[in-house]
Amino acid sequence: MMQVRKGKISGMHIVLYQPEIPANTGNIGRTCVATNTVLHLIEPLGFRLTGKELRRAGMDYWEHLDVRRYMNVAEFLEKNFAANTKAKLWMATTKAQKVYTQADFGSEDFIMFGKESAGIPEELLVDYQDTCIRIPMLDKIRSLNLANSVSIVLYEALRQQNFAGMQVSGELHRLEWGEACAESPI
């Protein structure tokens, strides 16, 4: 029997600052649909939202995505934080001093990720020092893939909300759990 966690469904927000690779944005869009998360895109984008690469990566989920576009960071901040004093803006960056698991995510918080080639500008990071977070990794690489990074941090935020409103168990299609299969391929 499938189980759904009680509670308010996610009101989380993922923010992509000037994303450059359509496949990353498409994959992130799919993750946002799966988690009822709003996707915010701050321009300029390195692709057209109508591009086939974006549609292919987001597959048939893109039409179900709540996606919002902004001309710049100032417009994004004005539209989302002028009247909303409860939500925090987290900045995911390799330059942060705090690990993402140390963050205390609220159910309506925003998590910003920078463009693939340069991240979030330091001029913006210094204004959010207390909410800058990082994913631990070895120093042999510059950063993780953007879509992977979004998934890691978003799912930690959702875990902290006890996956409220999300399906947390599944069902087999042909068999029942606990049932032995005489013709098992293993």
Side-chain angles (χ1 to χ4, degrees), residues 1-135:
M1 181 166 120
M2 285 189 275
Q3 182 183 5
V4 176
R5 294 282 169 127
K6 294 188 191 269
K8 183 181 173 217
I9 294 175
S10 169
M12 297 296 300
H13 300 264
I14 292 297
V15 183
L16 301 182
Y17 174 84
Q18 299 180 357
E20 300 166 315
I21 301 173
N24 281 337
T25 301
N27 285 316
I28 292 164
R30 183 175 180 163
T31 299
C32 287
V33 171
T35 59
N36 196 45
T37 300
V38 179
L39 179 60
H40 302 263
L41 302 176
I42 299 174
E43 297 196 17
L45 309 180
F47 51 86
R48 293 191 335 254
L49 283 179
T50 57
K52 68 180 178 181
E53 298 89 0
L54 181 67
R55 284 194 314 275
R56 187 177 322 138
M59 296 177 61
D60 55 346
Y61 300 99
W62 197 258
E63 68 187 57
H64 303 290
L65 177 63
D66 183 351
V67 61
R68 303 170 190 181
R69 290 174 70 175
Y70 307 90
M71 295 305 295
N72 52 47
V73 173
E75 180 186 7
F76 163 75
L77 293 171
E78 173 63 30
K79 288 186 175 178
N80 293 289
F81 291 94
N84 187 355
T85 57
K86 290 167 114 179
K88 286 184 184 175
L89 177 57
W90 298 94
M91 301 278 184
T93 173
T94 59
K95 299 164 185 76
Q97 301 298 305
K98 181 171 28 176
V99 175
Y100 74 99
T101 55
Q102 296 172 299
D104 184 17
F105 294 104
S107 63
E108 297 181 19
D109 284 357
F110 293 72
I111 309 167
M112 181 182 285
F113 295 82
K115 62 182 169 180
E116 290 90 341
S117 65
I120 301 169
E122 290 186 6
E123 293 78 11
L124 189 54
L125 294 176
V126 296
D127 292 337
Y128 292 90
Q129 180 177 351
D130 293 340
T131 56
C132 283
I133 53 175
R134 66 173 287 119
I135 299 170

Side-chain angles (χ1 to χ4, degrees), residues 125-150:
L125 294 176
V126 296
D127 292 337
Y128 292 90
Q129 180 177 351
D130 293 340
T131 56
C132 283
I133 53 175
R134 66 173 287 119
I135 299 170
M137 67 185 97
L138 297 176
D139 62 358
K140 293 176 177 27
I141 61 169
R142 183 174 41 92
S143 64
L144 295 174
N145 170 273
L146 180 60
N148 293 339
S149 296
V150 168

